[in-house]
Short mmCIF file of all heavy atoms in Angstrom, two decimals:
data_model
loop_
_atom_site.label_atom_id
_atom_site.label_comp_id
_atom_site.label_asym_id
_atom_site.label_seq_id
_atom_site.Cartn_x
_atom_site.Cartn_y
_atom_site.Cartn_z
N ALA A 280 97.81 80.68 87.31
CA ALA A 280 96.52 79.97 87.27
C ALA A 280 95.38 80.95 86.91
O ALA A 280 94.57 80.64 86.13
CB ALA A 280 96.27 79.27 88.59
N ASP A 281 95.42 82.12 87.51
CA ASP A 281 94.34 83.22 87.20
C ASP A 281 94.51 83.57 85.79
O ASP A 281 93.55 83.75 85.01
CB ASP A 281 94.56 84.47 88.02
CG ASP A 281 94.24 84.14 89.55
OD1 ASP A 281 93.46 83.25 89.76
OD2 ASP A 281 94.61 84.90 90.37
N LEU A 282 95.73 83.72 85.22
CA LEU A 282 95.97 84.14 83.88
C LEU A 282 95.34 82.97 82.95
O LEU A 282 94.82 83.33 81.96
CB LEU A 282 97.41 84.39 83.71
CG LEU A 282 97.77 84.82 82.24
CD1 LEU A 282 97.34 86.30 81.97
CD2 LEU A 282 99.30 84.73 82.04
N MET A 283 95.63 81.80 83.26
CA MET A 283 95.24 80.64 82.39
C MET A 283 93.86 80.23 82.61
O MET A 283 93.25 79.40 81.95
CB MET A 283 96.18 79.41 82.68
CG MET A 283 97.63 79.69 82.24
SD MET A 283 98.75 78.44 82.73
CE MET A 283 98.10 77.08 81.78
N ASP A 284 93.24 80.78 83.64
CA ASP A 284 91.78 80.37 84.18
C ASP A 284 91.82 78.90 84.49
O ASP A 284 90.84 78.25 83.93
CB ASP A 284 90.85 80.81 83.07
CG ASP A 284 89.41 80.80 83.62
OD1 ASP A 284 89.19 80.92 84.80
OD2 ASP A 284 88.47 80.51 82.72
N ILE A 285 92.75 78.42 85.36
CA ILE A 285 92.76 77.14 85.80
C ILE A 285 93.02 77.10 87.26
O ILE A 285 93.35 78.20 87.76
CB ILE A 285 93.78 76.19 85.03
CG1 ILE A 285 95.17 76.74 85.21
CG2 ILE A 285 93.41 76.08 83.61
CD1 ILE A 285 96.31 75.82 84.72
N ASN A 286 92.91 75.93 87.94
CA ASN A 286 93.19 75.74 89.28
C ASN A 286 94.73 75.88 89.53
O ASN A 286 95.49 75.37 88.77
CB ASN A 286 92.58 74.45 89.78
CG ASN A 286 92.68 74.30 91.20
OD1 ASN A 286 93.75 74.58 91.87
ND2 ASN A 286 91.52 73.92 91.85
N ALA A 287 95.12 76.50 90.63
CA ALA A 287 96.61 76.63 90.87
C ALA A 287 97.28 75.29 91.00
O ALA A 287 98.36 75.15 90.56
CB ALA A 287 96.71 77.29 92.23
N SER A 288 96.65 74.25 91.50
CA SER A 288 97.20 72.91 91.55
C SER A 288 97.50 72.30 90.16
O SER A 288 98.38 71.56 90.02
CB SER A 288 96.36 71.97 92.45
OG SER A 288 95.05 71.73 91.76
N ALA A 289 96.65 72.73 89.20
CA ALA A 289 96.89 72.31 87.90
C ALA A 289 98.22 72.86 87.25
O ALA A 289 98.96 72.23 86.42
CB ALA A 289 95.73 72.59 86.98
N VAL A 290 98.56 74.02 87.72
CA VAL A 290 99.74 74.72 87.31
C VAL A 290 100.95 73.87 87.84
O VAL A 290 101.82 73.49 87.01
CB VAL A 290 99.84 76.19 87.81
CG1 VAL A 290 101.39 76.77 87.55
CG2 VAL A 290 98.89 77.05 87.00
N THR A 291 101.03 73.62 89.05
CA THR A 291 102.18 72.93 89.72
C THR A 291 102.30 71.39 89.32
O THR A 291 103.31 70.90 89.28
CB THR A 291 102.09 73.07 91.20
OG1 THR A 291 100.97 72.50 91.70
CG2 THR A 291 102.25 74.47 91.63
N SER A 292 101.14 70.87 88.87
CA SER A 292 101.22 69.51 88.57
C SER A 292 101.71 69.25 87.20
O SER A 292 102.00 68.05 86.79
CB SER A 292 99.80 68.87 88.58
OG SER A 292 98.86 69.31 87.69
N ARG A 293 101.91 70.29 86.29
CA ARG A 293 102.37 70.09 84.99
C ARG A 293 103.85 69.94 84.90
O ARG A 293 104.39 69.70 83.82
CB ARG A 293 101.88 71.36 84.12
CG ARG A 293 100.51 71.54 83.90
CD ARG A 293 100.18 72.69 83.06
NE ARG A 293 98.73 72.66 82.90
CZ ARG A 293 98.13 73.01 81.82
NH1 ARG A 293 98.79 73.60 80.74
NH2 ARG A 293 96.75 73.08 81.58
N GLY A 294 104.52 70.11 86.00
CA GLY A 294 106.03 70.01 85.88
C GLY A 294 106.70 71.31 85.95
O GLY A 294 106.20 72.32 86.15
N ASP A 295 108.04 71.28 85.62
CA ASP A 295 108.88 72.38 85.61
C ASP A 295 108.99 73.18 84.28
O ASP A 295 109.46 74.34 84.29
CB ASP A 295 110.30 71.99 86.04
CG ASP A 295 110.32 71.51 87.53
OD1 ASP A 295 109.45 71.80 88.26
OD2 ASP A 295 111.37 70.92 87.89
N HIS A 296 108.63 72.56 83.24
CA HIS A 296 108.76 73.17 81.96
C HIS A 296 107.74 72.65 81.01
O HIS A 296 107.64 71.50 80.76
CB HIS A 296 110.25 72.87 81.43
CG HIS A 296 110.63 73.56 80.31
ND1 HIS A 296 111.21 74.78 80.33
CD2 HIS A 296 110.60 73.20 78.88
CE1 HIS A 296 111.46 75.16 78.99
NE2 HIS A 296 111.18 74.19 78.21
N TRP A 297 106.86 73.45 80.49
CA TRP A 297 105.82 73.15 79.62
C TRP A 297 105.23 74.27 78.86
O TRP A 297 105.63 75.41 79.01
CB TRP A 297 104.57 72.47 80.49
CG TRP A 297 104.33 73.29 81.71
CD1 TRP A 297 104.84 73.07 82.97
CD2 TRP A 297 103.28 74.25 81.90
NE1 TRP A 297 104.29 73.84 83.85
CE2 TRP A 297 103.33 74.70 83.23
CE3 TRP A 297 102.38 74.95 81.08
CZ2 TRP A 297 102.49 75.62 83.84
CZ3 TRP A 297 101.63 75.88 81.64
CH2 TRP A 297 101.65 76.17 82.94
N SER A 298 104.45 73.94 77.73
CA SER A 298 103.95 74.89 76.88
C SER A 298 102.52 75.32 77.10
O SER A 298 101.64 74.44 77.60
CB SER A 298 103.96 74.37 75.42
OG SER A 298 105.31 74.15 75.03
N TRP A 299 102.24 76.63 76.96
CA TRP A 299 100.79 77.06 77.04
C TRP A 299 100.69 78.09 75.89
O TRP A 299 101.34 79.13 75.90
CB TRP A 299 100.60 77.72 78.35
CG TRP A 299 99.28 78.43 78.45
CD1 TRP A 299 98.02 77.82 78.48
CD2 TRP A 299 99.08 79.90 78.54
NE1 TRP A 299 97.04 78.85 78.57
CE2 TRP A 299 97.75 80.00 78.66
CE3 TRP A 299 99.88 80.95 78.61
CZ2 TRP A 299 97.05 81.30 78.70
CZ3 TRP A 299 99.37 82.26 78.77
CH2 TRP A 299 98.00 82.41 78.90
N ARG A 300 99.84 77.83 74.96
CA ARG A 300 99.61 78.70 73.79
C ARG A 300 100.96 79.14 73.02
O ARG A 300 101.53 78.27 72.61
CB ARG A 300 98.74 79.93 74.19
CG ARG A 300 97.36 79.54 74.64
CD ARG A 300 96.52 80.73 74.83
NE ARG A 300 95.12 80.39 75.12
CZ ARG A 300 94.17 80.24 74.35
NH1 ARG A 300 94.37 80.46 73.02
NH2 ARG A 300 92.91 79.88 74.73
N ASN A 301 101.29 80.44 73.14
CA ASN A 301 102.52 80.77 72.45
C ASN A 301 103.77 80.94 73.38
O ASN A 301 104.61 81.63 73.04
CB ASN A 301 102.32 82.20 71.74
CG ASN A 301 101.28 81.94 70.61
OD1 ASN A 301 100.10 81.92 70.89
ND2 ASN A 301 101.76 82.06 69.44
N TRP A 302 103.60 80.33 74.42
CA TRP A 302 104.62 80.51 75.54
C TRP A 302 105.12 79.22 76.21
O TRP A 302 104.48 78.25 76.25
CB TRP A 302 104.09 81.40 76.72
CG TRP A 302 103.96 82.76 76.31
CD1 TRP A 302 104.78 83.85 76.28
CD2 TRP A 302 102.76 83.34 75.72
NE1 TRP A 302 104.21 85.01 75.81
CE2 TRP A 302 102.95 84.69 75.47
CE3 TRP A 302 101.33 82.81 75.50
CZ2 TRP A 302 102.03 85.49 74.83
CZ3 TRP A 302 100.50 83.65 75.00
CH2 TRP A 302 100.73 85.01 74.65
#
Side-chain angles (χ1 to χ4, degrees):
D281 290 342
L282 184 66
M283 297 173 64
D284 195 25
I285 61 173
N286 191 309
S288 63
V290 169
T291 56
S292 68
R293 291 182 179 213
D295 292 344
H296 190 81
W297 40 274
S298 296
W299 173 68
R300 294 189 176 264
N301 294 73
W302 291 271

